[in-house]
Amino acid sequence: MIRLLLADDEDLLRSALSALLELEDDLTVVAEAADSAEAVRLARRHAPDIAVLDLEMPPADGLRAAEEIRAATAAKVVLVTRHARPGVLRRALAAGVSGFVPKTTPAEKLAEIIRAVAAGRRYVDPDIAASALTEDDCPLTARELEVLRASRGGASVREIAAEVHLAPGTVRNYLSAAMAKLGVTSRHAAAHRAWEEGWI
């Protein structure tokens, strides 16, 4: 029997996936978590064989939870995401994640992937893998990436300025330039996009 931990902040999706996977004779869900911190705590308590984690999950994210779970337990990790990006894939593989799948994956297919990962194999969605080989170069400068990296935790412009040793006005200029280049309307969206692409 393959013991699973499921973690997703969307209760309906998590409970539906749990019910579907429980229909499989060789899979059982031993714990469910609604955020990344709870996922790490429950992984330590239940020692599942596989942790199936949502990538976009507060308060940190599924990737951070994957790193902490792998450091604390022998569980293998499958990341599922609605917005898969090549940069995130590279980061996930570097962190030792064994499976990387979009949320559009049918439950039956996910069950097959879980079995493959439990048997020691890796799985990467072929469309995401293809994108990773053909992605565009980063359009942002080193300074723009630096201020986006500093803004990712929700810091104010003044806090970002203190961290990167620039004047607040200069930080605003770099953030505006990055937002324009990425075609987004907020610095948080710009930072998230840069993170998804693996630039920061």
Side-chain angles (χ1 to χ4, degrees):
M1 185 67 74
I2 301 172
R3 303 170 70 253
L4 305 175
L5 162 69
L6 300 184
D8 193 317
D9 60 320
E10 297 180 66
D11 293 341
L12 182 59
L13 290 179
R14 188 183 67 250
S15 59
L17 181 59
S18 176
L20 289 170
L21 291 177
E22 283 284 1
L23 295 175
E24 303 290 333
D25 292 338
D26 57 342
L27 305 180
T28 186
V29 178
V30 296
E32 296 182 34
D35 62 51
S36 57
E38 185 180 23
V40 175
R41 184 176 58 79
L42 291 177
R44 288 181 172 134
R45 178 189 297 175
H46 294 281
D49 300 307
I50 308 284
V52 181
L53 308 176
D54 180 26
L55 177 63
E56 298 87 12
M57 184 171 52
D61 56 52
L63 189 53
R64 174 71 66 83
E67 292 169 341
E68 293 184 23
I69 288 171
R70 283 184 42 77
T73 74
K76 296 173 181 173
V77 174
V78 173
L79 278 180
V80 295
T81 179
R82 194 184 309 277
H83 306 289
R85 297 282 186 163
V88 179
L89 169 61
R90 286 196 302 273
R91 194 177 290 127
L93 293 178
V97 166
S98 298
F100 196 86
V101 299
K103 277 194 171 178
T104 53
T105 303
E108 297 83 2
K109 177 67 175 176
L110 180 59
E112 293 174 11
I113 293 167
I114 288 169
R115 293 186 187 100
V117 167
R121 295 190 292 274
R122 275 187 159 185
Y123 177 87
V124 175
D125 177 75
D127 290 339
I128 301 172
S131 295
L133 297 173
T134 59
E135 66 178 316
D136 295 332
D137 291 335
C138 176
L140 306 176
T141 67
R143 275 297 200 183
E144 289 163 354
L145 291 172
E146 185 180 20
V147 296
L148 287 180
R149 188 178 299 111
S151 74
R152 187 151 186 270
S156 67
V157 168
R158 188 169 298 279
E159 291 168 333
I160 297 168
E163 181 174 337
V164 301
H165 308 292
L166 292 171
T170 305
V171 168
R172 286 191 189 89
N173 290 340
Y174 281 125
L175 291 172
S176 294
M179 290 160 51
K181 288 178 180 178
L182 298 179
V184 297
T185 57
S186 74
R187 65 174 184 258
H188 303 296
H192 186 64
R193 169 79 186 283
W195 180 82
E196 283 186 327
E197 295 288 357
W199 299 330
I200 61 175

PDB file of all heavy atoms in Angstrom, residues 124-138:
ATOM      1  N   VAL A 124       7.950  13.933 -15.445  1.00  0.00           N
ATOM      2  CA  VAL A 124       7.781  15.351 -15.759  1.00  0.00           C
ATOM      3  C   VAL A 124       6.804  15.447 -16.919  1.00  0.00           C
ATOM      4  O   VAL A 124       6.980  14.760 -17.942  1.00  0.00           O
ATOM      5  CB  VAL A 124       9.115  16.016 -16.143  1.00  0.00           C
ATOM      6  CG1 VAL A 124       8.888  17.459 -16.573  1.00  0.00           C
ATOM      7  CG2 VAL A 124      10.085  15.966 -14.969  1.00  0.00           C
ATOM      8  N   ASP A 125       5.791  16.288 -16.755  1.00  0.00           N
ATOM      9  CA  ASP A 125       4.819  16.471 -17.826  1.00  0.00           C
ATOM     10  C   ASP A 125       5.550  16.833 -19.123  1.00  0.00           C
ATOM     11  O   ASP A 125       6.378  17.751 -19.138  1.00  0.00           O
ATOM     12  CB  ASP A 125       3.858  17.596 -17.444  1.00  0.00           C
ATOM     13  CG  ASP A 125       2.858  17.877 -18.552  1.00  0.00           C
ATOM     14  OD1 ASP A 125       1.928  17.067 -18.700  1.00  0.00           O
ATOM     15  OD2 ASP A 125       3.036  18.884 -19.253  1.00  0.00           O
ATOM     16  N   PRO A 126       5.270  16.141 -20.224  1.00  0.00           N
ATOM     17  CA  PRO A 126       6.022  16.376 -21.468  1.00  0.00           C
ATOM     18  C   PRO A 126       5.876  17.781 -22.026  1.00  0.00           C
ATOM     19  O   PRO A 126       6.831  18.311 -22.609  1.00  0.00           O
ATOM     20  CB  PRO A 126       5.470  15.311 -22.430  1.00  0.00           C
ATOM     21  CG  PRO A 126       4.254  14.772 -21.796  1.00  0.00           C
ATOM     22  CD  PRO A 126       4.352  15.013 -20.337  1.00  0.00           C
ATOM     23  N   ASP A 127       4.721  18.414 -21.865  1.00  0.00           N
ATOM     24  CA  ASP A 127       4.555  19.787 -22.363  1.00  0.00           C
ATOM     25  C   ASP A 127       5.434  20.771 -21.585  1.00  0.00           C
ATOM     26  O   ASP A 127       6.028  21.683 -22.158  1.00  0.00           O
ATOM     27  CB  ASP A 127       3.090  20.215 -22.269  1.00  0.00           C
ATOM     28  CG  ASP A 127       2.214  19.478 -23.272  1.00  0.00           C
ATOM     29  OD1 ASP A 127       2.768  18.970 -24.275  1.00  0.00           O
ATOM     30  OD2 ASP A 127       1.004  19.392 -23.039  1.00  0.00           O
ATOM     31  N   ILE A 128       5.498  20.586 -20.279  1.00  0.00           N
ATOM     32  CA  ILE A 128       6.348  21.466 -19.471  1.00  0.00           C
ATOM     33  C   ILE A 128       7.812  21.233 -19.818  1.00  0.00           C
ATOM     34  O   ILE A 128       8.599  22.178 -19.936  1.00  0.00           O
ATOM     35  CB  ILE A 128       6.110  21.213 -17.974  1.00  0.00           C
ATOM     36  CG1 ILE A 128       4.648  21.454 -17.618  1.00  0.00           C
ATOM     37  CG2 ILE A 128       7.019  22.113 -17.136  1.00  0.00           C
ATOM     38  CD1 ILE A 128       4.287  21.042 -16.203  1.00  0.00           C
ATOM     39  N   ALA A 129       8.183  19.975 -20.004  1.00  0.00           N
ATOM     40  CA  ALA A 129       9.576  19.667 -20.354  1.00  0.00           C
ATOM     41  C   ALA A 129       9.946  20.310 -21.691  1.00  0.00           C
ATOM     42  O   ALA A 129      11.036  20.869 -21.843  1.00  0.00           O
ATOM     43  CB  ALA A 129       9.768  18.152 -20.409  1.00  0.00           C
ATOM     44  N   ALA A 130       9.016  20.267 -22.652  1.00  0.00           N
ATOM     45  CA  ALA A 130       9.281  20.876 -23.960  1.00  0.00           C
ATOM     46  C   ALA A 130       9.437  22.386 -23.827  1.00  0.00           C
ATOM     47  O   ALA A 130      10.327  22.991 -24.450  1.00  0.00           O
ATOM     48  CB  ALA A 130       8.146  20.545 -24.923  1.00  0.00           C
ATOM     49  N   SER A 131       8.601  23.015 -23.000  1.00  0.00           N
ATOM     50  CA  SER A 131       8.699  24.454 -22.787  1.00  0.00           C
ATOM     51  C   SER A 131      10.039  24.824 -22.158  1.00  0.00           C
ATOM     52  O   SER A 131      10.612  25.872 -22.459  1.00  0.00           O
ATOM     53  CB  SER A 131       7.559  24.931 -21.878  1.00  0.00           C
ATOM     54  OG  SER A 131       6.317  24.746 -22.504  1.00  0.00           O
ATOM     55  N   ALA A 132      10.533  23.961 -21.284  1.00  0.00           N
ATOM     56  CA  ALA A 132      11.802  24.244 -20.604  1.00  0.00           C
ATOM     57  C   ALA A 132      12.960  24.319 -21.595  1.00  0.00           C
ATOM     58  O   ALA A 132      13.964  24.971 -21.335  1.00  0.00           O
ATOM     59  CB  ALA A 132      12.077  23.178 -19.546  1.00  0.00           C
ATOM     60  N   LEU A 133      12.806  23.652 -22.733  1.00  0.00           N
ATOM     61  CA  LEU A 133      13.878  23.635 -23.729  1.00  0.00           C
ATOM     62  C   LEU A 133      13.788  24.805 -24.694  1.00  0.00           C
ATOM     63  O   LEU A 133      14.726  25.076 -25.436  1.00  0.00           O
ATOM     64  CB  LEU A 133      13.830  22.324 -24.520  1.00  0.00           C
ATOM     65  CG  LEU A 133      14.070  21.058 -23.698  1.00  0.00           C
ATOM     66  CD1 LEU A 133      13.831  19.823 -24.554  1.00  0.00           C
ATOM     67  CD2 LEU A 133      15.480  21.057 -23.138  1.00  0.00           C
ATOM     68  N   THR A 134      12.640  25.509 -24.701  1.00  0.00           N
ATOM     69  CA  THR A 134      12.432  26.558 -25.704  1.00  0.00           C
ATOM     70  C   THR A 134      12.074  27.904 -25.106  1.00  0.00           C
ATOM     71  O   THR A 134      11.661  28.796 -25.817  1.00  0.00           O
ATOM     72  CB  THR A 134      11.303  26.141 -26.673  1.00  0.00           C
ATOM     73  OG1 THR A 134      10.105  25.924 -25.910  1.00  0.00           O
ATOM     74  CG2 THR A 134      11.662  24.873 -27.421  1.00  0.00           C
ATOM     75  N   GLU A 135      12.226  28.080 -23.789  1.00  0.00           N
ATOM     76  CA  GLU A 135      11.796  29.317 -23.145  1.00  0.00           C
ATOM     77  C   GLU A 135      12.635  30.510 -23.615  1.00  0.00           C
ATOM     78  O   GLU A 135      13.765  30.370 -24.047  1.00  0.00           O
ATOM     79  CB  GLU A 135      11.898  29.194 -21.636  1.00  0.00           C
ATOM     80  CG  GLU A 135      13.325  29.051 -21.135  1.00  0.00           C
ATOM     81  CD  GLU A 135      13.367  28.988 -19.630  1.00  0.00           C
ATOM     82  OE1 GLU A 135      12.681  29.774 -18.983  1.00  0.00           O
ATOM     83  OE2 GLU A 135      14.092  28.146 -19.126  1.00  0.00           O
ATOM     84  N   ASP A 136      12.020  31.698 -23.511  1.00  0.00           N
ATOM     85  CA  ASP A 136      12.699  32.926 -23.905  1.00  0.00           C
ATOM     86  C   ASP A 136      13.722  33.343 -22.856  1.00  0.00           C
ATOM     87  O   ASP A 136      13.632  32.984 -21.692  1.00  0.00           O
ATOM     88  CB  ASP A 136      11.678  34.046 -24.074  1.00  0.00           C
ATOM     89  CG  ASP A 136      10.727  33.768 -25.217  1.00  0.00           C
ATOM     90  OD1 ASP A 136      11.136  33.058 -26.155  1.00  0.00           O
ATOM     91  OD2 ASP A 136       9.578  34.243 -25.157  1.00  0.00           O
ATOM     92  N   ASP A 137      14.681  34.176 -23.299  1.00  0.00           N
ATOM     93  CA  ASP A 137      15.651  34.727 -22.363  1.00  0.00           C
ATOM     94  C   ASP A 137      14.964  35.747 -21.459  1.00  0.00           C
ATOM     95  O   ASP A 137      13.969  36.353 -21.828  1.00  0.00           O
ATOM     96  CB  ASP A 137      16.790  35.397 -23.117  1.00  0.00           C
ATOM     97  CG  ASP A 137      17.649  34.373 -23.846  1.00  0.00           C
ATOM     98  OD1 ASP A 137      17.679  33.214 -23.408  1.00  0.00           O
ATOM     99  OD2 ASP A 137      18.267  34.744 -24.855  1.00  0.00           O
ATOM    100  N   CYS A 138      15.542  35.964 -20.287  1.00  0.00           N
ATOM    101  CA  CYS A 138      14.996  36.936 -19.330  1.00  0.00           C
ATOM    102  C   CYS A 138      15.154  38.355 -19.875  1.00  0.00           C
ATOM    103  O   CYS A 138      16.266  38.759 -20.232  1.00  0.00           O
ATOM    104  CB  CYS A 138      15.727  36.783 -18.003  1.00  0.00           C
ATOM    105  SG  CYS A 138      15.217  38.007 -16.780  1.00  0.00           S
TER     106      CYS A 138
END
